[in-house]
Amino acid sequence: QPWLVVPDFTHHAHSASLSAVAVNNRYVVTGSRDETIQIYDMKKKIEHGALLQHNGTITCLEFYGTAHLLSGAEDGLICIWNTKRWECLKSIKAHKGHVTSLSIHPSGKLALSVGTDKTLRTWNLVEGRSAFIKNLKQNAHIIKWSPDGERYVTVITNKVDIYKLDTASITGTITTDKRISSLRFITDSILAIAGDDEIIRFYSCDSQKCLCEFKAHENRIKDIYSFEREGQHVIVTASSDGYIKMWNLDLTKIKDEPYLLCEVNTKARLTCLAVWLDRASEMKENSDKAANSSSQAHKDEKSSIVRKNEVSCTDKSDKKAKRKRKITPGKQKLEAPLQKKKKKRNSSA
């Protein structure tokens, strides 16, 4: 069935352009040059309030599971947030300069961060303290763990260094022509890399060879995201040209160009992107299907994928927003500080 991208809500969330976005099973959070983090409850489709701990542009946001969010900013701080009450559990002075990127290990026990003090730092998240500091020759602007947590990568301008966890040493390097803007592990050993050109490249972490490259956009690619749905690997790309595109990637034929599923022109200058998947309705749909299917014949039925995929693109109509936008009518902006909201929250596992 054809895929569609339908705008669900648009909201003028920040007074400056957006710099980071993250999702978990319930919330979308956005960080901005206006120094705030805004929270959206995707189940209720309402704005949920703002986090005001940082001074300086929010540079990175990452959820760990359903209970925690980590944020990093130009003030050099990494903040650990509890997502049930949205309180700051710990504020760590992580870097002497800006925090440029952070990544949480799949175990949740440690995190890595890089900053403009030319260091790569390992954090013990159980105790909330620094565990290890490595000096880099230059400032890295991206750091990311592989899904299995066996390796991590840093990006310095146009160069990706691949590290093994057990030795903390570089096992290989990938160099591209242009500055790298975004990078994503498609599998434990395949990286998708996008940069300041129109091309997306897939690389093997083991051989550092380019497995495939294709022109995705008419302008530079700002962000790349991926998810798996019913065995299908989907790549989502956002470009300065305003387009969001969704691609089907066949990992058994990685050398073939991904197939374009759909595209939409947001008419905005995109800066970052995330995909929120409605896991709850997906699970309900699957259990309903299981209950209804009395024979094997129903197994081939494809569930309606599109409606449950929210491509949460950041709407960057910079400071001069000409029109006021709201999330779904009826629910207006939260005026009260978060602490006063004593309403009981259902924690969804």
Side-chain angles (χ1 to χ4, degrees):
Q1 87 207 10
W3 285 53
L4 297 165
V5 182
V6 183
D8 197 39
F9 67 76
T10 310
H11 185 68
H12 190 67
H14 295 274
S15 59
S17 60
L18 277 79
S19 48
V21 58
V23 297
N24 74 355
N25 66 328
R26 176 159 183 181
Y27 296 104
V28 170
V29 291
T30 57
S32 165
R33 299 174 70 89
D34 68 9
E35 309 184 352
T36 70
I37 299 165
Q38 300 284 345
I39 311 160
Y40 298 90
D41 185 328
M42 294 301 288
K43 297 278 166 70
K44 296 179 180 172
K45 293 278 166 60
I46 59 166
E47 189 176 23
H48 193 77
L51 305 175
L52 312 169
Q53 191 79 16
H54 288 286
N55 292 310
T57 298
I58 311 299
T59 52
C60 40
L61 293 165
E62 190 170 322
F63 279 104
Y64 181 71
T66 57
H68 295 96
L69 169 74
L70 267 66
S71 61
E74 286 186 351
D75 55 10
L77 296 180
I78 289 176
C79 293
I80 302 169
W81 303 88
N82 164 312
T83 62
K84 298 290 177 276
R85 288 189 292 280
W86 291 105
E87 59 194 359
C88 182
L89 301 173
K90 195 163 182 74
S91 177
I92 303 166
K93 181 66 177 140
H95 290 272
K96 290 191 179 101
H98 304 166
V99 178
T100 49
S101 181
L102 63 84
S103 186
I104 305 167
H105 189 267
S107 69
K109 289 178 181 168
L110 64 146
L112 296 171
S113 68
V114 286
T116 56
D117 55 3
K118 295 182 187 170
T119 63
L120 187 169
R121 294 176 188 244
T122 308
W123 302 97
N124 177 330
L125 291 182
V126 180
E127 295 170 23
R129 61 174 179 81
S130 173
F132 186 73
I133 300 170
K134 178 180 170 61
N135 291 310
L136 303 173
K137 290 190 176 78
Q138 290 165 281
N139 291 325
H141 64 279
I142 300 174
I143 188 145
K144 194 141 337 233
W145 284 104
S146 63
D148 62 5
E150 294 293 309
R151 61 179 118 207
Y152 54 92
V153 295
T154 61
V155 179
I156 297 171
T157 316
N158 63 332
K159 190 178 70 156
V160 182
D161 285 327
I162 302 159
Y163 290 80
K164 277 194 74 173
L165 169 62
D166 50 9
T167 59
S169 58
I170 296 173
T171 59
T173 299
I174 295 163
T175 309
T176 60
D177 291 339
K178 298 277 175 79
R179 181 183 186 274
I180 295 164
S181 57
S182 181
L183 160 151
R184 186 100 188 156
F185 276 94
I186 305 301
T187 68
D188 292 321
S189 60
I190 297 173
L191 273 175
I193 296 175
D196 283 357
D197 57 13
E198 308 88 49
I199 296 167
I200 288 180
R201 298 175 176 86
F202 299 114
Y203 282 90
S204 159
C205 286
D206 300 316
S207 68
Q208 292 94 55
K209 286 192 169 65
C210 184
L211 304 171
C212 169
E213 62 176 62
F214 68 101
K215 183 180 173 181
H217 289 271
E218 295 303 317
N219 207 321
R220 65 178 60 173
I221 296 159
K222 295 298 287 186
D223 212 349
I224 181 166
Y225 207 91
S226 67
F227 63 93
E228 207 177 327
R229 198 60 172 267
E230 298 180 338
Q232 189 175 26
H233 276 270
V234 180
I235 309 279
V236 190
T237 58
S239 165
S240 296
D241 62 15
Y243 276 86
I244 294 170
K245 297 189 181 185
M246 303 179 82
W247 310 82
N248 181 36
L249 175 65
D250 186 345
L251 287 173
T252 61
K253 302 175 189 156
I254 190 77
K255 289 183 168 55
D256 296 351
E257 281 192 21
Y259 166 75
L260 183 65
L261 293 166
C262 61
E263 62 181 24
V264 62
N265 184 1
T266 65
K267 298 185 171 62
R269 198 177 129 255
L270 302 175
T271 57
C272 44
L273 166 139
V275 175
W276 180 78
L277 296 169
D278 188 352
R279 298 287 184 196
S281 33
E282 186 185 345
M283 280 157 72
K284 182 179 183 300
E285 192 174 83
N286 288 345
S287 64
D288 289 353
K289 229 197 287 185
N292 295 336
S293 67
S294 52
S295 72
Q296 287 289 97
H298 289 287
K299 278 203 165 176
D300 293 335
E301 278 180 27
K302 287 268 184 284
S303 67
S304 142
I305 295 168
V306 181
R307 233 149 283 140
K308 305 202 179 51
N309 285 352
E310 308 271 354
V311 179
S312 161
C313 78
T314 59
D315 165 349
K316 279 53 11 178
S317 30
D318 262 325
K319 291 171 189 170
K320 300 187 180 88
K322 296 210 169 57
R323 50 197 190 284
K324 198 79 177 141
R325 287 151 299 182
K326 296 266 186 281
I327 288 186
T328 26
K331 303 278 190 181
Q332 296 309 335
K333 195 169 176 179
L334 266 135
E335 298 299 341
L338 282 171
Q339 282 73 10
K340 292 182 184 165
K341 259 184 100 87
K342 289 283 188 212
K343 237 188 264 177
K344 190 169 179 252
R345 290 210 208 308
N346 297 327
S347 62
S348 45

